[in-house]
Amino acid sequence: MYSACPLYLSVFSVPSVANISLFGSTMIEKTATELLTLQKSGGATAASIADAFLAAVRAREPKVKAFVHVDEADVRRQAEAVDAKRKAGSQLGVLAGVPVAIKDVLCTRGTPTTCSSKILKNFVPPYDAHVVEKLRAADAVLIGKTNMDEFAMGSSTENSAVQTTRNPWDTERIPGGSSGGSAAAVAACQAPLSLGTDTGGSIRQPAALCGIVGVKPTYGRVSRYGLIAFASSLDQVGPFTHDVTDAALLMEVIAGHDRRDSTSIDRPVPAYTKSLGEPIKGLKIGVPREFFDAGLDAEVEASIRAALKEYQALGATLVDVSLPHSAKYAVAVYYIVATAEASSNLARFDGMHYGHRTAEKTDLIGTYAKSRGEGFGKEVQRRIMLGSYALSSGYKDAYYLKALKVRRLILNEFTDAFAKCDVVMGPTSPSAAFKIGEKSDNPLAMYLSDIYTISCNLAGIAGMSIPCGFTKGGLPVGLQLLSPPFDEEKMFRVARMYEAATDWHTKRPAV
Ligand code: GLN
């Protein structure tokens, strides 16, 4: 499936990317909302849209490497089915004919789902994840599965056992991680929408580094059914899009209660797209002073400060808030809680119950050890060991239980901060995209990439990243917005206020 992906072998019969230009921006540069309008007006069919994006995948994949699986014939079949439905006058779903790329951690019926790990190389799920069911019900066209850090552990996509995805703005650099494939696919206009997962920043950080919008919903807002677990108390599925309108639209589709996930919350899903255009009067923005301490790149800081100024010009007031525990302990707490949960979740992959089995003839324990040693990469093994250690008797109180207590303090300080403001804002990532290989030998340096994103997952609140500028070297910078739980509606309105006044979200890289 990996190197011999059928995509690269088949004879391609669709026009090249350069030939597809409609109404100013090329088809592939359009947002999902624009593609929906285009189809309604008769300006394009779902099949022509699918062909344009498949052509983009084919042309750009050798450079970007965002996908681990694309089945062209299946993509065309899905698109033709949408066109047939439209022709027959049937009711169409809200994403009819819009291609969506899916992170390879989400189960897709009949399509390989590997978490970019050797241990799941041959896994073909017999069922769809809840969010995938929702996409199909909305008549979206699933264009392919995207590359990721193995089991979503990483910040650069370099931990994939398949390939390293490249940042479309500079292919010598990482796209961020762990959902780097999904972020790069949207940034490189290989799909207008994609899904990622965020356990400690894996949607917001790659969105920031690739110059697009990425949303980490409130814990419990989106069902985790069919999401292969990394750290169950932190994982959430969320959208990658070119703009806030598309993010609101995709959230309307994937959010909502699902009784198959016991942590999914039964609350109505607001019509996010309806209220988007309403600015928040008297908006109060909390700016945590600790988010601007040493370690923040000067060019990133300048873009964030300029974005805050823009908000002031739009009538917002900046409020000084403090998140001392988040700043000091979030990374440490996260690497205890997340690894502890991962060590338990990944125990099932032992070559007997699930996953790759070693060919070597040995006893039971030998089979477990060999299969896991062959199947899991270095980072995954490191985390299983760390998590098992933190949970072991004698150490559990000192590490795991202590971490849970600090986790509560982090939530408390967010609750205090939100008493003074509507949203909290700051940088998404301490630096713009770094060079491939720059941090791969230094796990601690890599872990610090998520210093601003992790506390949101620990607190279970909502967060997003929106494009807010570029460095002098032409690398995107992301502004992070954090909101109280289940306040995504307001968060989108606040994000849209800035977007409506700026044009960062309209930029596309020349791949
Ligand atoms: N980079 C963080 C990690 O390696 C977050 C990953 C994620 O959100 N999935 O754990």
Side-chain angles (χ1 to χ4, degrees):
M1 177 190 58
Y2 297 135
S3 52
C5 178
L7 171 72
Y8 312 113
L9 301 176
S10 66
V11 180
F12 224 74
S13 58
V14 296
S16 76
V17 181
N19 294 337
I20 305 162
S21 181
L22 287 161
F23 311 143
S25 64
T26 60
M27 175 99 90
I28 56 165
E29 289 176 343
K30 291 190 183 301
T31 64
T33 306
E34 289 168 338
L35 292 170
L36 288 164
T37 312
L38 197 57
Q39 290 177 85
K40 278 192 195 124
S41 67
T45 59
S48 67
I49 292 171
D51 281 346
F53 282 98
L54 284 173
V57 171
R58 162 158 256 247
R60 298 174 172 199
E61 237 348 57
K63 274 197 187 153
V64 181
K65 301 181 193 296
F67 287 88
V68 291
H69 183 90
V70 177
D71 179 345
E72 290 170 42
D74 180 54
V75 174
R76 289 219 188 80
R77 258 196 306 275
Q78 295 176 59
E80 280 160 15
V82 172
D83 287 332
K85 243 176 137 174
R86 189 184 300 278
K87 222 169 153 194
S90 324
Q91 176 81 29
L92 285 167
V94 298
L95 290 179
V98 177
V100 186
I102 314 264
K103 186 177 182 180
D104 208 28
V105 71
L106 289 160
C107 287
T108 40
R109 182 166 28 88
T111 302
T113 299
T114 69
C115 290
S116 292
S117 176
K118 283 191 210 146
I119 210 149
L120 280 176
K121 195 166 62 193
N122 299 316
F123 178 50
V124 180
Y127 65 99
D128 278 330
H130 178 79
V131 291
V132 173
E133 284 177 359
K134 290 269 198 177
L135 288 176
R136 293 197 205 272
D139 289 316
V141 172
L142 310 187
I143 189 164
K145 303 298 292 286
T146 58
N147 192 37
M148 54 187 281
D149 285 300
E150 184 177 3
F151 282 100
M153 297 174 185
S155 306
S156 66
T157 321
E158 290 165 296
N159 293 337
S160 166
V162 185
Q163 61 197 4
T164 296
T165 299
R166 310 285 170 138
N167 190 311
W169 292 93
D170 176 349
T171 51
E172 298 296 302
R173 291 175 188 268
I174 57 102
S178 65
S179 315
S182 283
V186 170
C189 299
Q190 296 172 307
L193 303 176
S194 67
L195 288 184
T197 57
D198 192 311
T199 305
S202 281
I203 293 177
R204 288 159 290 154
Q205 185 253 17
L209 271 40
C210 288
I212 59 173
V213 174
V215 181
K216 198 294 273 185
T218 305
Y219 186 75
R221 180 75 287 190
V222 179
S223 169
R224 292 178 296 110
Y225 176 79
L227 157 64
I228 298 174
F230 161 15
S232 313
S233 77
L234 302 162
D235 298 340
Q236 271 292 289
V237 184
F240 284 106
T241 60
H242 289 299
D243 67 10
V244 178
T245 307
D246 276 9
L249 177 67
L250 188 46
M251 269 295 286
E252 280 176 17
V253 172
I254 63 169
H257 181 241
D258 171 24
R259 57 179 183 75
R260 296 168 299 185
D261 170 4
S262 61
T263 62
S264 148
I265 308 281
D266 194 359
R267 265 172 98 120
V269 179
Y272 301 118
T273 49
K274 296 290 177 297
S275 55
L276 260 190
E278 298 164 23
I280 309 280
K281 283 199 193 73
L283 171 66
K284 287 206 192 105
I285 299 173
V287 183
R289 51 191 106 109
E290 296 86 356
F291 281 20
F292 294 86
D293 280 353
L296 177 61
D297 175 87
E299 285 188 79
V300 172
E301 174 165 0
S303 288
I304 302 301
R305 300 250 185 231
L308 294 173
K309 273 230 169 69
E310 182 69 48
Y311 270 108
Q312 284 178 299
L314 293 169
T317 316
L318 304 188
V319 188
D320 176 50
V321 296
S322 180
L323 300 170
H325 293 91
S326 300
K328 221 167 159 187
Y329 303 117
V331 173
V333 168
Y334 172 85
Y335 278 97
I336 292 171
V337 173
T339 58
E341 294 183 21
S343 73
S344 163
N345 280 325
L346 272 56
R348 73 192 69 175
F349 303 109
D350 57 15
M352 298 299 270
H353 297 89
Y354 292 97
H356 160 84
R357 182 181 301 175
T358 183
E360 211 166 288
K361 301 259 173 299
T362 161
D363 58 5
L364 182 68
I365 300 296
T367 303
Y368 288 164
K370 269 271 158 204
S371 302
R372 289 164 73 79
E374 290 166 8
F376 287 136
K378 249 207 202 131
E379 182 64 22
V380 176
Q381 294 189 24
R382 176 159 36 229
R383 294 198 188 194
I384 291 172
M385 287 195 286
L386 204 58
S388 307
Y389 180 78
L391 287 179
S392 58
S393 73
Y395 295 101
K396 188 177 88 208
D397 293 348
Y399 294 108
Y400 183 65
L401 295 182
K402 184 75 153 207
L404 292 186
K405 288 178 188 162
V406 183
R407 183 177 185 178
R408 164 55 70 167
L409 293 178
I410 289 172
L411 170 58
N412 290 351
E413 69 187 19
F414 270 109
T415 309
D416 292 346
F418 287 130
K420 294 202 275 177
C421 62
D422 299 286
V423 291
V424 163
M425 276 189 207
T428 306
S429 163
S431 71
F434 47 89
K435 286 246 166 77
I436 289 171
E438 196 178 313
K439 298 190 179 172
S440 39
D441 291 334
N442 186 348
L444 286 182
M446 190 74 91
Y447 293 173
L448 286 174
S449 316
D450 301 303
I451 185 146
Y452 303 126
T453 48
I454 275 175
S455 48
C456 167
N457 303 71
L458 291 170
I461 62 174
M464 70 190 292
S465 181
I466 57 174
C468 75
F470 289 89
T471 63
K472 289 190 197 79
L475 300 171
V477 178
L479 173 71
Q480 182 174 223
L481 286 72
L482 300 171
S483 89
F486 296 100
D487 220 359
E488 282 88 354
E489 185 177 16
K490 193 197 270 170
M491 181 172 76
F492 288 147
R493 286 166 66 191
V494 174
R496 179 62 200 151
M497 279 171 72
Y498 175 79
E499 190 183 76
T502 55
D503 67 353
W504 305 115
H505 63 289
T506 63
K507 311 282 186 222
R508 306 283 185 267
V511 185

